[in-house]
Amino acid sequence: GNSVTQMEGPVTLSEEAFLTINCTYTATGYPSLFWYVQYPGEGLQLLLKATKADDKGSNKGFEATYRKETTSFHLEKGSVQVSDSAVYFCALSTNAGKSTFGDGTTLTVKP
Amino acid sequence: DTGVSQDPRHKITKRGQNVTFRCDPISEHNRLYWYRQTLGQGPEFLTYFQNEAQLEKSRLLSDRFSAERPKGSFSTLEIQRTEQGDSAMYLCASGGGDGTDTQYFGPGTRLTVL
């Protein structure tokens, strides 16, 4: 079956530091890949997505590239802000069906 | 576009009682999904609908759980004879309006079973 493995947290960074959250997946077929963000007290929000190999998703300074050869979709941001503190979930979806999520990585950014 | 809405936002019930949650998807979306999320975990898939047809159910969805989407618009998720292990956040998502796999999530219903 499908599975997503995320870098374990929590991750604590200083403002303006570089962020990487690792995500690898196992899937049958050709999945679409997603990063969702959950801010404290709020629901899941789509952060970015990529639908085929070598696609790069980007939003709000975050980027992730769909790497089929390494089955990875690592999330990066060059300079984090305090407002980026949240839980980040990597997910995949195949054939418009269910999504499979990782367990989430908690990011705390300190001023 | 008002987004996905869920009602209620919080539900506290006693063990053994039945509860029902409602989800209103984004209006042009034909797919609707239910997930369950417990503390420290990612969402786990429960079931999904394309229009009014229930196309897939997880093995997590015991006989006490039932979901409906009678007219292909809103959906309900009912849990009968609740157990303390049912305490979780129940998330609804919708998709299909843009031809991609993207799912848009509602705020969730937090269930506490005493």
Side-chain angles (χ1 to χ4, degrees):
Chain A
N2 297 340
S3 67
V4 174
T5 302
Q6 270 184 250
M7 167 180 170
E8 289 189 18
V11 174
T12 302
L13 295 173
S14 297
E15 208 165 21
E16 300 184 2
F18 184 84
L19 168 70
T20 300
I21 301 178
N22 290 339
C23 171
T24 57
Y25 68 89
T26 303
T28 53
Y30 302 95
S32 295
L33 301 175
F34 305 87
W35 277 100
Y36 287 87
V37 59
Q38 191 168 33
Y39 297 104
E42 298 185 15
L44 279 168
Q45 299 176 25
L46 178 67
L47 180 58
L48 53 85
K49 65 181 181 183
T51 57
K52 61 182 187 297
D54 301 325
D55 270 2
K56 179 185 283 189
S58 61
N59 186 27
K60 298 182 181 179
F62 291 89
E63 293 183 340
T65 301
Y66 190 143
R67 301 286 188 200
K68 190 169 183 291
E69 64 277 12
T70 55
T71 62
S72 65
F73 193 56
H74 305 322
L75 183 69
E76 296 182 338
K77 186 175 186 182
S79 176
V80 294
Q81 305 301 311
V82 172
S83 58
D84 293 326
S85 297
V87 183
Y88 292 82
F89 292 92
C90 184
L92 67 83
S93 177
T94 55
N95 299 322
K98 64 182 181 182
S99 286
T100 301
F101 286 80
D103 285 337
T105 301
T106 300
L107 170 67
T108 301
V109 180
K110 296 190 171 179
Chain B
D1 179 0
T2 58
V4 179
S5 61
Q6 293 187 244
D7 183 70
R9 296 289 305 275
H10 303 273
K11 178 70 176 179
I12 300 173
T13 191
K14 293 182 179 179
R15 190 174 53 187
Q17 298 295 303
N18 299 344
V19 295
T20 300
F21 309 141
R22 176 179 171 125
C23 171
D24 287 90
I26 294 170
S27 58
E28 62 267 29
H29 288 176
N30 58 5
R31 296 196 305 272
L32 187 149
Y33 307 80
W34 286 99
Y35 293 84
R36 180 172 65 191
Q37 185 179 20
T38 53
L39 198 62
Q41 305 289 319
E44 295 177 297
F45 170 78
L46 294 179
T47 188
Y48 99 93
F49 295 83
Q50 177 135 345
N51 300 311
E52 65 274 11
Q54 190 172 17
L55 295 189
E56 188 174 351
K57 290 170 61 173
S58 166
R59 285 168 289 182
L60 292 175
L61 213 64
S62 76
D63 291 346
R64 297 184 298 104
F65 287 70
S66 62
E68 293 183 343
R69 194 183 183 198
K71 297 183 180 178
S73 56
F74 73 92
S75 175
T76 57
L77 177 68
E78 181 183 17
I79 308 174
Q80 296 182 327
R81 305 181 303 281
T82 52
E83 302 173 355
Q84 287 185 327
D86 297 331
S87 296
M89 178 75 85
Y90 289 84
L91 299 172
C92 177
S94 69
D98 59 1
T100 73
D101 290 353
T102 305
Q103 297 176 22
Y104 297 88
F105 282 80
T109 294
R110 181 168 296 285
L111 173 66
T112 302
V113 181
L114 301 177

